[in-house]
Amino acid sequence: MAAGPVIGQTIGPFRIVGMLGEGASAVVYEAVDEELGRLVVLKVLRAIHGEHPERRAMVIEEARALAAMQHEAIMPLLQLVWLEDVPVLVFPRLPGKTLAATLAEDGVTWQEAVRIVRDVARGLGHAHGLGVCHHDVKPTNIWLHRPQSDGPSRALLFDFGLTGGAADSAGTPGYSEPEPQATARPESRDLFSLGVVLHECLERCPDAPARCRDLIRRLTTERAADRPGPSEVVATIDRLLEPSFRRPLNWATAAGLA
């Protein structure tokens, strides 16, 4: 396919209504599913061509891996369709915005920041358990889903990067390890990136507990083997959010209990 889709074009049951963004490997559109009457997101990959049988098979295999990752902290893949020889990934259009947009506008509190990181860590733990790594954890790839405008949000990790083997999986400079090739386990790269995300979230949170900074330090340590895994990140954040941790210690009461 020489040219990309245009507004108003249909791909299967999906009618494109607008462009949401573009990157080196894909263009992302908003579309209407005219059969089911819902909004969806179409990720049209442009560096991969189904005209090559081995590349097409790889795309299908990776799409199946994405579809198998059923978890509340991972954006679900609804469908894989084809526009001639170009694969198109279909995702739900959930209300909310990216973490990057949130940080650029109002920022987050330290409590919100650690809850977001806890959600993402849960999603990573699920993906890693299935043998899938993200390779590019960053605020633009974290969706803060807010079902109601005045309600709480939850974080979903998206853009696991279906590449068909055609793209570099080294991640985004600034969020990936300085020397990612030195690490044998790509799972640890995801945790390093998560530490950078937490650091970015807390830049405007001077009241963040010291334990938050300690978690960042541990996640971004140079020695990959010393980084905590997703389950340890979740447990650490759960302890941070315990009321007993946040409440000032009453030394008189504590002395009476000694």
Side-chain angles (χ1 to χ4, degrees), residues 23-72:
S25 63
V27 184
V28 181
Y29 299 91
E30 183 176 49
V32 176
D33 182 340
E34 297 191 316
E35 288 184 350
L36 300 180
R38 60 181 177 178
L39 286 175
V40 296
V41 173
L42 304 181
K43 182 179 178 181
V44 181
L45 305 180
R46 54 186 176 189
I48 312 162
H49 301 283
E51 61 191 13
H52 303 292
E54 69 283 356
R55 187 73 60 79
R56 187 182 184 100
M58 186 176 294
V59 168
I60 294 172
E61 180 181 355
E62 291 184 351
R64 285 175 176 169
L66 292 180
M69 292 191 296
Q70 298 295 313
H71 192 276
E72 62 182 6

Side-chain angles (χ1 to χ4, degrees), residues 70-250:
Q70 298 295 313
H71 192 276
E72 62 182 6
I74 296 176
M75 186 72 73
L77 174 64
L78 301 178
Q79 197 172 346
L80 169 66
V81 296
W82 296 85
L83 179 58
E84 298 180 18
D85 291 325
V86 175
V88 181
L89 303 176
V90 185
F91 298 94
R93 183 72 161 107
L94 300 178
K97 54 188 173 183
T98 65
L99 175 57
T102 300
L103 293 177
E105 294 168 8
D106 305 319
V108 295
T109 65
W110 75 262
Q111 293 93 337
E112 290 170 334
V114 295
R115 288 191 181 100
I116 290 167
V117 168
R118 181 178 60 185
D119 287 347
V120 175
R122 285 174 172 159
L124 286 174
H126 179 74
H128 293 171
L130 295 174
V132 178
C133 294
H134 190 281
H135 298 295
D136 199 17
V137 178
K138 59 185 178 180
T140 52
N141 287 339
I142 297 172
W143 187 259
L144 301 185
H145 174 39
R146 193 180 297 274
Q148 299 182 7
S149 59
D150 58 347
S153 64
R154 62 184 177 90
L156 291 88
L157 190 59
F158 68 97
D159 202 7
F160 273 75
L162 186 73
T163 64
D168 182 6
S169 61
T172 299
Y175 294 95
S176 57
E177 293 174 306
E179 297 181 6
Q181 70 276 9
T183 298
R185 296 176 62 253
E187 295 90 344
S188 68
R189 302 182 196 173
D190 284 346
L191 273 301
F192 181 96
S193 300
L194 187 60
V196 178
V197 169
L198 180 56
H199 171 75
E200 187 171 347
C201 288
L202 295 179
E203 282 186 323
R204 289 189 286 173
C205 299
D207 60 333
R211 286 195 208 174
C212 288
R213 311 293 175 184
D214 180 64
L215 179 57
I216 294 171
R217 180 189 59 75
R218 294 173 60 211
L219 284 167
T220 58
T221 183
E222 183 176 349
R223 181 176 164 81
D226 292 339
R227 293 173 199 153
S231 60
E232 188 177 348
V233 171
V234 171
T236 299
I237 291 173
D238 283 342
R239 289 193 295 271
L240 274 168
L241 293 172
E242 287 177 359
S244 59
F245 171 77
R246 297 197 304 270
R247 187 169 56 245
L249 179 64
N250 185 322

